[in-house]
Amino acid sequence: MLYISTRGRAASLDFEAVLLAGLARDGGLYNPESWPRIPPEDVSSLAGQSYVEAAARIMQPLIGEQIAFDELRALIAAAYGRFAHQAVAPLVQLDSNLWLLELFHGPTLAFKDLAMQLLGLLMDRSLKRSGDRTTILVATSGDTGAAAVEAFKNREAIDLFVLFPDGRISEIQRRQMTTSDAANVHPIAVKGTFDDCQAIVKTLFSDLAFRDEAGLSAVNSINWARILAQTVYYFTAAAALGAPHRPVRFAVPTGNFGDIFAGYVAFRMGLPVERLVIATNTNDILARTLATGRYEPRAVVPTSSPSMDIQVSSNFERLLFEVSGRDSERVNALMNAFKEGGAFALSESELAAIRGIFAAHRCDEAETAEVMRRLYRRTGYLADPHTAVGIGAAERELAQSAAPMIALATAHPAKFPEAIERAVGRVPQMPERLEHVLAGRETYITLEPESDAVRSVIRDRGRFAESRTIR
Ligand SMILES: *Cc1c(COP(=O)(O)O)cnc(C)c1O
């Protein structure tokens, strides 16, 4: 399988090269050259399979021959071996037609583990085979960084630099990144927002000389392999509820548009998805875009669901590429308009194509707390604020059809105890696997939101000068 850049000016790459590069050299994102189809009979048979077996079958056509099926299955089994639930991504029924897909049973209690644990093993495998070394630079609104630290700590061929917005993430999220005690992990608190962190990462990746010097890799949700791994649970959840014979709907707490784009990938691969509901918190750029056709960020407002406090949804570019009929010139034009004027407008046909499969709803802070309270009172279930935003959006869409609605539970309630206590008056129980981060010693540095400062720290602390890096 070959991958092409949404901007059309970078070389097409195979799966391993896309895995290690993350961002394309023309600033674009990689999508597969074509969408392989999973035939209906294969979707039916997923219902009786383990998550590991299902994952290997769904991912294989998107990887191609670079990894043999048995090796792929063994890597997936190792990646999910640390999960606290046998089913990896279990479904819980909340109401007659509303389900929760629990994606928080991994080591850092957020859905990011599903992709990151596998990404760590895939990258390690590639680097061991080539003898190369890489420097991972990641911007995080909290959960990605924690998942990356868990996946990459103490890996010999990898240095990890994590940028997080100082004071804008929860204490548990910060401690998950700063207490690893691993010499190859470098957490950096940036005095700014997540969008500032992401802008620094983009600047350093577009400095091609530095990118080569340090052998930079991106593991943000722009990395295709993350989306690939996330595609799996859309298939397994849909199959469990009757796909391919019955269409399903998903409601997805959305920030950078990576997770919900994985749902779109499943749809393009033949899964009968009737609707993908984008759930946003107060930072509602995507809800506004679907309503008006204009993509225009506003200032980021901190909320109780910090992993969605984003106004520039990077993976939306992948969808633009698809709905423009894979017109990379059009994507370049929109991205340039965005860079220069801070906004762009979709054409009528692009907007119609998006509205054909997506809907979007915004849940503000009061509503999010109300969803948490109502759910707890009715069922005893404690939902974290991100999950509550998804449930709120799902409920608004529910009456539109009879297809089962699956809301994605993206974080464990224990990750956001203050917000839960405020909403329902109860503190969620801390799972054992989180106790060590509360006790550990924190190490991190604090920087102004300037790419030069971050570049210097990477030059100082990275080990790439010592040996050959990937190009
Ligand atoms: C990252 C994250 C999201 C948003 O996912 P995207 O892929 O960025 O849209 C939602 N909820 C939680 C808990 C997250 O960590």
Side-chain angles (χ1 to χ4, degrees):
M1 174 61 76
L2 275 182
Y3 286 82
I4 54 178
S5 166
T6 50
R7 310 246 178 129
R9 293 170 190 172
S12 297
L13 299 180
D14 59 25
F15 175 76
E16 271 196 282
V18 165
L19 164 75
L20 292 169
L23 200 64
R25 289 180 83 86
D26 58 5
L29 306 179
Y30 280 107
N31 274 9
E33 191 178 43
S34 62
W35 298 108
R37 308 257 327 157
I38 306 278
E41 57 278 19
D42 290 5
V43 175
S44 305
S45 64
L46 294 175
Q49 286 165 9
S50 70
Y51 191 85
V52 169
E53 180 72 25
R57 289 185 187 211
I58 291 154
M59 288 193 235
Q60 180 77 71
L62 283 160
I63 291 175
E65 286 157 11
Q66 282 191 314
I67 308 178
F69 184 79
D70 288 345
E71 187 184 2
L72 178 62
R73 190 172 42 197
L75 285 167
I76 295 168
Y80 299 137
R82 298 178 62 196
F83 276 55
H85 198 295
Q86 278 293 320
V88 180
L91 275 170
V92 174
Q93 188 162 16
L94 289 186
D95 209 332
S96 54
N97 209 22
L98 178 60
W99 305 74
L100 260 191
L101 178 59
E102 290 186 343
L103 301 173
F104 52 66
H105 295 286
T108 71
L109 312 189
F111 86 94
K112 305 285 197 301
D113 289 325
L114 276 127
M116 208 67 87
Q117 286 291 315
L118 183 61
L119 199 63
L121 294 175
L122 287 170
M123 278 193 164
D124 200 45
R125 169 189 178 274
S126 288
L127 292 169
K128 274 189 184 135
R129 286 157 67 102
S130 65
D132 290 333
R133 157 179 293 290
T134 191
T135 304
I136 293 175
L137 175 59
V138 63
T140 183
S141 51
D143 294 330
T144 301
V149 169
E150 266 311 308
F152 295 105
K153 67 183 180 189
N154 301 318
R155 296 213 184 272
E156 198 33 53
I158 296 173
D159 289 315
L160 173 64
F161 292 84
V162 186
L163 309 184
F164 63 89
D166 193 22
R168 287 177 182 251
I169 61 175
S170 80
E171 183 186 353
I172 290 173
Q173 286 179 316
R174 190 190 67 238
R175 297 191 67 95
Q176 282 181 316
M177 290 187 268
T178 58
T179 59
S180 76
D181 207 25
N184 71 327
V185 171
H186 308 279
I188 301 173
V190 173
K191 292 185 184 164
T193 64
F194 168 72
D195 288 332
D196 292 323
C197 297
Q198 187 162 254
I200 293 171
V201 169
K202 282 183 181 165
T203 302
L204 294 182
F205 269 87
S206 60
D207 175 351
L208 294 181
F210 180 67
R211 182 171 171 167
D212 288 342
E213 175 192 342
L216 287 188
S217 291
V219 299
N220 271 103
S221 61
I222 52 167
N223 189 305
W224 166 257
R226 286 196 41 198
I227 292 177
L228 170 71
Q230 291 167 9
T231 299
V232 172
Y233 46 74
Y234 288 90
F235 275 97
T236 57
L241 294 184
H245 310 294
R246 185 161 73 151
V248 296
R249 298 178 288 172
F250 291 96
V252 186
T254 294
N256 227 345
F257 208 73
D259 200 8
I260 198 162
F261 189 78
Y264 178 79
V265 171
F267 165 66
R268 294 297 300 268
M269 289 172 75
L271 191 69
V273 178
E274 188 183 279
R275 187 68 51 201
L276 290 165
V277 183
I278 301 167
T280 78
N281 64 22
T282 310
N283 299 290
D284 60 351
I285 180 169
L286 292 169
R288 286 185 285 114
T289 304
L290 258 78
T292 66
R294 219 177 135 69
Y295 182 93
E296 186 169 27
R298 293 186 183 152
V300 176
V301 180
T303 71
S304 59
S305 45
S307 300
M308 296 153 66
D309 289 348
I310 291 175
Q311 286 281 349
V312 181
S313 279
S314 301
N315 285 291
F316 196 62
E317 179 170 343
R318 296 187 199 271
L319 183 64
L320 291 177
F321 183 61
E322 296 300 319
V323 298
S324 67
R326 300 199 144 199
D327 180 349
S328 56
E329 283 319 303
R330 172 73 180 155
V331 174
N332 276 298
L334 291 176
M335 288 302 144
N336 284 335
F338 183 67
K339 202 168 168 186
E340 275 147 34
F344 61 76
L346 296 168
S347 72
E348 271 185 28
S349 70
E350 288 159 353
L351 187 57
I354 292 173
R355 286 177 176 160
I357 177 77
F358 289 93
H361 297 291
R362 163 191 200 263
C363 234
D364 66 19
E365 288 294 273
E367 262 181 282
T368 305
E370 179 53 32
V371 168
M372 288 155 72
R373 226 175 352 254
R374 196 158 22 84
L375 185 66
Y376 179 64
R377 254 195 243 121
R378 225 169 42 202
T379 67
Y381 195 94
L382 285 177
D384 101 286
H386 303 79
T387 303
V389 168
I391 295 170
E395 285 175 341
R396 280 206 228 154
E397 192 68 23
L398 209 54
Q400 297 293 325
S401 95
M405 174 70 81
I406 303 164
L408 273 53
T410 51
H412 191 290
K415 230 176 155 169
F416 301 94
E418 297 89 356
I420 305 231
E421 189 174 13
R422 266 198 312 275
V424 308
R426 224 197 91 183
V427 182
Q429 183 163 0
M430 187 70 58
E432 242 173 67
R433 62 195 188 287
L434 209 62
E435 277 164 7
H436 69 276
V437 310
L438 295 178
R441 192 176 57 92
E442 290 192 86
T443 349
Y444 64 99
I445 57 172
T446 306
L447 294 179
E448 295 298 324
E450 288 155 10
S451 52
D452 288 347
V454 175
R455 193 192 286 103
S456 305
V457 167
I458 295 175
R459 282 207 172 108
D460 264 8
R461 303 193 174 195
R463 295 172 296 173
F464 51 86
E466 296 164 18
S467 70
R468 204 158 61 91
T469 55
I470 57 163
R471 289 291 182 266

